[in-house]
Amino acid sequence: MSTEKFIRNEVTGWMAAHGEHSDIVMSTRIRLARNLTGYLYPIAFTEDDAMAIDRAATGVLLDSDGPDYTYMKMSEIPSLERLVLIEKHLISPHLANPNRHGAVILSEDETVSVMINEEDHVRIQCIYPGLQLEDAYKKADAVDDLLESELPYAFDEDFGYMTSCPSNTGTGMRASVMMHLPALTITKQIDRIIPAISRLGMVVRGSYGEGSEAPGNVYQVSNQTTLGKTEQEILVDLGNITSRLIAHERKSREVLLAKSRLALENRLFRSLGTIVYARILQTGEAARCLSDVRLGIDLGIIEDVDVSILNELMIFMQPGFLQQYAGTELSQEERDIFRAKLFRERLNIADTLKSLEEGTQE
């Protein structure tokens, strides 16, 4: 299997608009941080250490009888292609540094990503569409068991798995859900909900993790504590928080419909018109419009638009994908023009115009 498949193939598994509560929960991710005994952490290890860790982890996965995997070394991948992998959530921005001896092993369906020599020696990631905490964990745990059967993990009976960052010590697990919360954002309830979630041991970030913003009202909710809790306890806690957020979001949507339906419809159809007709689309405006249209679809206000396409466009609108799709480097202004063109082409304009016309006739 060629590396090009993962770069050229815009659609990845977690973008599918299915899974439990997929109208609000876009994807579920489990990440396990692991290190090997006898080696310094990546922040201080030698090149020989990095190569030895790479060979050991790669050998286990590529020689296994499990699914097909593809190996990619970061230093051999052009910067634009590394950016595409970040935008698809297949690697972290930290791993993309080509000078850190990093590599990634990807499953054919892109649900499993094993990052080597990132912040830790090995980071196992599994992403599923919708709310699938248990299934995603089982998949990640199976990969972890395979690696642990052959590799000497750094583990302490009192502290658990030893990690580069102390905040990951313990289970080494970060479980997260990526959620679309437009109603809570529009009503500004999200501003008081985020601090409340933090007090419960969870953290809310943008869709690309720590330090990122939440374009398009997409938030990543994950556990903050990995020490002193089992994996199952973390999954239960995150599941409970997610269920409460889903309930709050649904209630807020009902309130918006009951109290401000005309204003809401006006906003949603304006956004639909923008992505259909605009000739220049900046990233922020594109994200906001996609969020509005997705909300309109979920509420049954906008029809004849496939929500899975909107999930894809959230990735397509990013700088790396735009330039990869265009086949050339683009300035910011050129990206804004090409983004608008791509949106018009990717959406079925005939069906979208029909939806617009029906909306104006009601």
Side-chain angles (χ1 to χ4, degrees):
M1 188 191 317
S2 68
T3 301
E4 184 178 358
K5 168 189 180 297
F6 300 99
I7 307 300
R8 300 291 181 186
N9 181 23
E10 297 92 345
V11 181
T12 192
W14 70 262
M15 297 180 196
H18 62 75
E20 191 177 6
H21 303 295
S22 60
D23 59 326
I24 294 176
V25 182
M26 301 178 67
S27 66
T28 300
R29 186 194 73 168
I30 300 294
R31 192 209 69 199
L32 303 175
R34 302 290 187 254
N35 289 281
L36 309 187
T37 57
Y39 300 98
L40 295 174
Y41 292 126
I43 195 173
F45 66 7
T46 66
E47 183 173 354
D48 288 341
D49 288 340
M51 293 174 63
I53 293 163
D54 189 317
R55 286 194 299 269
T58 301
V60 173
L61 290 176
L62 298 187
D63 294 341
S64 71
D65 295 328
D68 289 335
Y69 286 104
T70 295
Y71 171 86
M72 303 183 199
K73 194 171 184 63
M74 290 298 105
S75 60
E76 298 174 358
I77 301 176
S79 59
L80 180 57
E81 294 185 0
R82 294 197 302 273
L83 181 57
V84 170
L85 293 174
I86 293 171
E87 292 171 355
K88 292 180 73 176
H89 296 268
L90 297 179
I91 67 172
S92 67
H94 188 82
L95 184 72
N97 185 339
N99 299 318
R100 297 191 59 82
H101 313 292
V104 64
I105 301 172
L106 294 173
S107 64
E108 184 175 3
D109 62 2
E110 303 183 12
T111 59
V112 176
S113 169
V114 180
M115 291 174 275
I116 302 171
N117 295 329
E118 196 235 29
E119 184 177 313
D120 293 288
H121 296 153
V122 176
R123 284 198 167 184
I124 302 162
Q125 174 183 279
C126 183
I127 303 182
Y128 276 21
L131 182 59
Q132 301 190 68
L133 283 167
E134 286 290 343
D135 289 342
Y137 171 70
K138 288 177 182 177
K139 183 70 172 181
D141 190 45
V143 177
D144 186 39
D145 286 345
L146 174 62
L147 288 169
E148 192 167 19
S149 68
E150 300 288 340
L151 303 179
Y153 277 175
F155 184 84
D156 182 87
E157 290 296 331
D158 294 322
F159 294 104
Y161 292 100
M162 306 305 291
T163 56
S164 177
C165 179
S167 65
N168 290 322
T169 299
T171 62
M173 184 175 83
R174 294 286 180 182
S176 65
V177 290
M178 191 159 67
M179 307 185 71
H180 182 227
L181 304 173
L184 289 175
T185 305
I186 292 171
T187 59
K188 302 190 183 302
Q189 294 181 70
I190 196 71
D191 295 335
R192 62 177 179 79
I193 287 176
I194 290 177
I197 290 176
S198 298
R199 290 193 290 272
L200 294 174
M202 300 290 165
V203 62
V204 182
R205 299 186 174 109
S207 57
Y208 285 91
E210 187 172 358
S212 66
E213 298 179 352
N217 306 315
V218 175
Y219 301 85
Q220 188 182 108
V221 184
S222 62
N223 62 298
Q224 197 166 25
T225 303
T226 63
L227 183 63
K229 288 185 176 182
T230 66
E231 290 88 347
Q232 284 301 317
E233 287 172 336
I234 292 172
L235 294 177
V236 169
D237 288 346
L238 180 58
N240 289 336
I241 292 293
T242 302
S243 295
R244 291 164 68 178
L245 277 171
I246 290 171
H248 283 305
E249 174 66 20
R250 293 201 194 286
K251 182 63 177 177
S252 295
R253 294 180 182 190
E254 291 173 3
V255 170
L256 284 173
L257 281 174
K259 295 186 176 181
S260 310
R261 185 180 184 95
L262 184 59
L264 179 63
E265 289 183 347
N266 181 61
R267 170 177 173 149
L268 303 185
F269 278 108
R270 278 178 177 272
S271 291
L272 178 57
T274 296
I275 62 175
V276 168
Y277 289 112
R279 264 42 185 177
I280 299 175
L281 261 181
Q282 296 180 340
T283 304
E285 182 180 25
R288 178 184 60 77
C289 289
L290 285 176
S291 174
D292 284 349
V293 174
R294 182 185 172 95
L295 177 60
I297 294 170
D298 293 339
L299 294 176
I301 294 173
I302 294 175
E303 300 177 352
D304 301 320
V305 179
D306 188 345
V307 70
S308 64
I309 294 178
L310 301 185
N311 288 350
E312 295 166 14
L313 288 175
M314 286 184 60
I315 304 298
F316 293 176
M317 73 179 189
Q318 303 296 328
F321 246 120
L322 285 176
Q323 294 174 96
Q324 185 70 36
Y325 198 84
T328 185
E329 292 188 9
L330 302 172
S331 67
Q332 181 173 326
E333 182 179 4
E334 289 171 333
R335 291 199 300 269
D336 293 343
I337 294 171
F338 191 78
R339 182 181 294 111
K341 179 176 181 290
L342 179 61
F343 273 43
R344 296 195 307 272
E345 291 178 351
R346 190 66 186 90
L347 291 164
N348 188 319
I349 292 181
D351 288 344
T352 304
L353 287 174
K354 178 183 176 183
S355 178
L356 274 171
E357 292 168 357
E358 290 175 350
T360 58
Q361 291 170 4
E362 292 178 357

